[in-house]
Amino acid sequence: MSAVWLSGADWQALWLSIQLAGITVVLLLLVTTPLAWWLAFGRSRIKFIIEAMVALPLVLPPTVLGFYLLLLLGRDGPLAGLDWAFSFQGLVLASMIYSLPFVVQPIQNSLSQMPKAPLEAAATLGAGFWDRFFTVVLPLCKPGFITAAVLGFAHTLGEFGVVLMIGGNLPGETKVAS
């Protein structure tokens, strides 16, 4: 049995994939934590609409989602000025949208199941919102955040349709391992 060697282009695509997944997960954790908090604790008439929009990438085929994003970001699209089609920034945006439900839902579930007594005790002791968030919420919900990060990273590494539609296959810029 012969050994399989990766070429320089293969290593470059693998490294770009890891960078894409890492950046996507960090940005998604920052963006989706407030969204998950609102979905877990908010009371609004439009909450069910937002939950459906968050889950939309689960039901849309990846190439269809990529096609719509390409129309949005393409030359004649409403966001054409960003010039993100066929760029790494476009890949990050597309990956964020496509992996959104895989990051939001574990965080939302973790927040929903968090006991309220420690938060109330911290508030009674005079802890502000951010203090309670970093010293009570994050430790209690750590498994949900870890699950969200792992799912988001793995999902971004494995996506193909959205990446191909938005990024194309430009070596060194948008050619990823998938």
Side-chain angles (χ1 to χ4, degrees), residues 96-153:
M96 285 179 66
I97 292 170
Y98 189 57
S99 296
L100 183 75
F102 293 92
V103 178
V104 170
Q105 290 175 352
I107 296 172
Q108 179 186 356
N109 291 337
S110 182
L111 290 170
S112 297
Q113 296 172 3
M114 178 182 60
K116 305 297 181 265
L119 273 178
E120 293 167 357
T124 303
L125 294 171
F129 175 78
W130 293 110
D131 188 24
R132 287 184 308 221
F133 182 77
F134 286 110
T135 60
V136 177
V137 174
L138 284 182
L140 288 175
C141 296
K142 185 167 62 170
F145 281 93
I146 291 171
T147 301
V150 169
L151 283 175
F153 192 88

Side-chain angles (χ1 to χ4, degrees), residues 56-79:
L56 197 59
L58 292 172
V59 295
L60 280 178
T63 51
V64 171
L65 183 62
F67 177 72
Y68 287 135
L69 287 171
L70 191 56
L71 288 177
L72 191 67
L73 298 171
R75 287 188 190 160
D76 298 328
L79 300 177

Side-chain angles (χ1 to χ4, degrees), residues 10-118:
D10 294 335
W11 283 110
Q12 188 177 35
L14 187 59
W15 176 242
L16 192 65
S17 298
I18 291 169
Q19 287 177 316
L20 175 64
I23 291 169
T24 299
V25 166
V26 168
L27 291 175
L28 274 175
L29 287 173
L30 292 172
V31 169
T32 61
T33 299
L35 176 60
W37 183 277
W38 182 77
L39 289 172
F41 302 118
R43 291 188 176 99
S44 175
R45 290 182 176 177
I46 64 165
K47 184 177 170 181
F48 73 95
I49 295 171
I50 302 299
E51 284 179 328
M53 289 177 64
V54 165
L56 197 59
L58 292 172
V59 295
L60 280 178
T63 51
V64 171
L65 183 62
F67 177 72
Y68 287 135
L69 287 171
L70 191 56
L71 288 177
L72 191 67
L73 298 171
R75 287 188 190 160
D76 298 328
L79 300 177
L82 293 176
D83 199 28
W84 281 12
F86 306 108
S87 70
F88 186 76
Q89 295 91 336
L91 283 181
V92 171
L93 176 66
S95 297
M96 285 179 66
I97 292 170
Y98 189 57
S99 296
L100 183 75
F102 293 92
V103 178
V104 170
Q105 290 175 352
I107 296 172
Q108 179 186 356
N109 291 337
S110 182
L111 290 170
S112 297
Q113 296 172 3
M114 178 182 60
K116 305 297 181 265

